[in-house]
Each structure stands twice: as C-alpha cells, then as structure tokens.
C-alpha cells in the first residue's frame, strides 16, 4: 500500500498527464464521482442536494500554486462569489481555501491579505473560511497566517484550519490552536511525507488521529473530524458518549462521492456531517491524492468506469 500511495502522489505532480486528463473526455468520465463539476453552478447544485439530506457542505475551488499576484486575486474572486451565493441561497455551506492558491509561494504577505479579505467577507455574511493544509514545508507559515488573521478584531470564529494527524508535530500544533480558540478540521494527511516528519505506518497515524480527536472533543470549540474509517468513527462516538459530549458539539466530515451510505447513517443517528465539495478545471492533483490516500477508491472507480 505505501508503494501504491507513493505512486499516485508522484502521478499527481506529472504535468503531461495532468494536461491530458484535465482536457479530455476520459478525464471527465474519471472525475465525475469525486468532483462536483467544472463551474460554480455545479458546486452550488451539489451543495443544495446534500443540504436537502441534512448534510452541510464545504466548497473548494480546485487549484494551487499560482504563479502571480493577478492569478491569486482571480482565484480569490471565485471564493468571494461563492460566499455571496451561499448567503443568497441560504445554503448550509462554507469555503475551503489553499494559501498557495492565494499566492503564498509568491508572497506570504499577499496570501495573508487575500485570506484576511475572505474571512472578513465570510464574517459579514455569517459564513466561515477553512484554510486547508498543504505539504509539511508549508505547515508553519500556514499556521502563522491563520493565527494572525484570527487574532484580528472581529475575526474570531470565522476562520479555521486543517491539521494532519500523520505529522509528528500535530499534537503541539493542536494544543496551540486550542489555546487560541481556533476551529480545527482534523484529517489523516494526503501528501507524501518522509519518516523524518510523519508517522510512516497507518496504525500509528490512526492512533494519533484518535488521540487528537479526543483533545478536540474535550475543548469548548466546535471542531471537525474528517475520516471515512468506521473503526475511528465508532471510537469517537464511544468517547463522546462516555464523556457526555453532545453530538451537536462537533461534526464528521467526508469527501464528496465517498461513503455516502455512512454519511446518511450518521445523519440518521443525529450527528452533524459535512461533505467536502470540490469543483473546477484544475482537478487532477486533488483526484490523484484521493486515490493515493484510499486504495479502495481505485477499485470503486474502475468498477464504475467500465459500467458507464
């Protein structure tokens, strides 16, 4: 499995393959299970559909590593439009943003300024911005920007961050973020990291995920636990029940197109569930990371591809 994971991660950086798949009919057939579509309207329709099932949504305009300030501002404008549409349509939805898409690699100051504007906009419309986490080389600068923006007047509660359980440093990061009152989305991690910075074995990642989940559940802040692993979900539910933690105090998050049966089951049991809804033409890196982190997706994809 580690070899398969590394292979898909490597493919996610292959530019010729990316160009081919993002501009081909074959690519469209492959991505439709995990990608809402190419346009804002596609994402909004999916958000409305999942809302009708009692499930919240996080909308993500796919793209990363822009090469200029103009590109960063154009990417941000899509999110500003999303925030307006979410408010106009009264959707139970928020947005998820990568700082490299906001110009982080050109200028951390640029990314911080753009992120701050988005959070201010979200605050004014009653929504929320989640800053996504990327590979470990960007962890510290992402944390620093989120903490500074969150500390601005009026921003508290309108901004959150993602923490990846496979990094050794994540417990100390969680403790600092909890001290600041920042909302956390905990996931396992989807990048190819070395054993110098990340737990190399799945069992270790799972153990750390559950330990960090308990820290989040014990805090007074509303957090999100992103996993499709039924064993971890069962352990979280048991811990919450044993410690009288109300089901409204946290949410489970899952990916669009993955374990819809489990999403519906959790809703029926009274838990909050949010689905991560990606859209846009730059879908290839995201798609390959989904295959890398869950090999069962490869089998599922192949089975449905040949049926269609």
């Amino acid at each position: 499995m580690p070899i398969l994971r590394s292979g898909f991660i490597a493919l996610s950086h292959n530019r010729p393959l990316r160009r081919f798949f993002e501009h081909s009919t074959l690519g469209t057939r492959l991505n439709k299970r995990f990608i809402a579509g190419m346009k804002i309207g596609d994402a909004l329709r999916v958000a409305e559909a999942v809302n009708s099932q009692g499930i919240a949504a996080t909308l993500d305009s796919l793209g990363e590593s822009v090469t200029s300030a103009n590109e960063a501002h154009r990417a941000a404008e899509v999110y500003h439009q999303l925030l307006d549409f979410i408010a106009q349509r009264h959707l139970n939805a928020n947005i998820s943003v990568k700082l490299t898409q906001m110009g982080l690699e050109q200028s951390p100051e640029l990314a911080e300024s753009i992120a701050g504007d988005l959070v201010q906009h979200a605050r004014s419309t009653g929504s929320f911005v989640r800053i996504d986490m990327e590979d470990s080389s960007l962890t510290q600068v992402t944390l620093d920007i989120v903490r500074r923006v969150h500390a601005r007047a009026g921003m508290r509660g309108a901004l959150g961050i993602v923490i990846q359980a496979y990094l050794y440093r994540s417990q100390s990061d969680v403790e600092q973020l909890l001290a600041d009152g920042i909302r956390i989305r905990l996931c396992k991690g989807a990048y190819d990291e070395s054993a110098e910075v990340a737990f190399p074995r799945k069992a270790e990642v799972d153990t750390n995920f559950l330990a960090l989940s308990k820290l989040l559940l014990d805090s007074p802040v509303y957090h999100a636990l992103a996993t499709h692993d039924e064993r971890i979900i069962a352990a979280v539910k048991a811990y919450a029940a044993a410690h009288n933690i109300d089901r409204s105090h946290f949410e489970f998050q899952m990916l669009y197109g993955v374990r819809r049966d489990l999403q519906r089951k959790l809703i029926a049991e009274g838990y909050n569930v949010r689905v991560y809804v990606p859209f846009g033409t730059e879908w290839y890196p995201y798609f390959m990371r989904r295959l890398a982190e869950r090999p069962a997706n490869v089998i599922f994809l192949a089975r449905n591809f040949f049926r269609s």
Side-chain angles (χ1 to χ4, degrees):
M1 291 304 181
I3 294 174
L4 184 63
R5 174 187 172 88
S6 296
F8 279 115
I9 293 294
L11 288 174
S12 75
H13 299 294
N14 188 300
R15 291 186 179 276
L17 274 179
R18 177 175 177 174
R19 284 193 297 270
F20 170 75
F21 279 111
E22 288 184 346
H23 298 90
S24 69
T25 303
L26 175 61
T28 301
R29 288 183 65 191
L30 284 171
N31 74 36
K32 63 183 179 181
R33 175 69 185 193
F34 303 114
I35 311 297
M38 300 298 110
K39 300 178 181 179
I40 287 179
D42 298 321
L44 296 172
R45 281 191 290 274
V46 169
E48 289 172 341
V50 298
N51 280 182
S52 70
Q53 301 173 49
I55 299 171
T58 288
L59 306 183
D60 182 3
S61 175
L62 292 172
E64 48 200 74
S65 300
V66 299
T67 58
S68 70
N70 285 339
E71 283 185 47
H73 284 293
R74 284 198 298 270
E77 180 55 32
V78 174
Y79 284 105
H80 284 293
Q81 292 177 43
L82 282 172
L83 289 169
D84 286 335
F85 281 126
I86 287 169
Q88 292 165 12
R89 300 190 183 197
H90 306 289
L91 296 175
N92 184 0
N94 55 39
I95 61 172
S96 180
V97 178
K98 280 185 169 61
L99 289 183
T100 56
Q101 196 179 9
M102 303 296 111
L104 178 62
E105 293 172 313
Q106 281 66 53
S107 163
E109 293 76 19
L110 171 65
E112 184 169 338
S113 173
I114 290 175
D117 289 344
L118 284 170
V119 178
Q120 185 63 53
H121 188 171
R123 185 73 171 178
S124 70
T125 60
S127 192
F128 176 79
V129 177
R130 180 84 65 185
I131 300 298
D132 207 349
M133 190 60 76
E134 301 178 67
D135 69 71
S136 62
S137 69
L138 300 172
T139 299
Q140 191 59 54
V141 66
T142 301
L143 286 163
D144 291 342
I145 288 173
V146 168
R147 292 183 65 205
R148 284 195 296 267
V149 173
H150 187 266
R152 296 180 190 177
M155 298 294 203
R156 189 176 183 87
L159 174 65
I161 195 170
V162 175
I163 291 294
Q164 299 171 119
Y166 66 178
L167 296 181
Y168 300 136
R169 61 174 292 166
S170 289
Q171 180 169 339
S172 62
D173 291 337
V174 164
E175 290 169 351
Q176 180 62 69
L177 292 164
L178 292 181
D180 292 339
I182 297 175
R183 289 169 59 177
I184 294 170
R185 175 186 190 263
L186 181 66
C187 69
K188 291 184 181 179
Y191 293 86
D192 193 20
E193 303 286 359
S194 74
E196 295 178 357
V197 299
F199 293 104
R201 291 188 290 275
K202 180 182 181 299
E204 295 172 309
V205 177
D206 290 351
T207 297
N208 201 43
F209 185 100
L210 189 54
L212 297 178
S213 295
K214 293 174 181 178
L215 289 177
L216 301 187
L217 291 173
D218 288 337
S219 83
V221 179
Y222 184 88
H223 298 294
L225 307 175
T227 180
H228 306 98
D229 189 322
E230 291 192 72
R231 290 173 299 176
I232 288 179
I233 289 171
V236 166
K237 290 159 64 174
Y239 184 85
H243 292 80
N244 297 315
I245 298 168
D246 195 87
R247 296 178 185 187
S248 65
H249 182 63
F250 64 98
E251 68 185 28
F252 290 109
Q253 290 194 4
M254 298 186 188
L255 301 173
Y256 175 68
V258 180
R259 293 307 309 268
R260 294 172 178 170
D261 58 329
L262 184 53
Q263 296 168 23
R264 291 190 291 267
K265 179 175 182 288
L266 288 168
I267 287 292
E269 292 173 349
Y271 291 96
N272 295 327
V273 176
R274 186 178 301 273
V275 170
Y276 178 86
V277 179
F279 72 97
T281 58
E282 299 182 48
W283 56 266
Y284 176 79
Y286 168 85
F287 176 80
M288 298 307 289
R289 288 197 294 270
R290 298 293 75 77
L291 298 183
E293 69 184 1
R294 192 167 183 266
N297 287 339
V298 182
I299 299 170
F300 177 88
L301 192 68
R303 185 180 299 141
N304 282 269
F305 179 80
F306 288 108
R307 280 180 187 165
S308 60

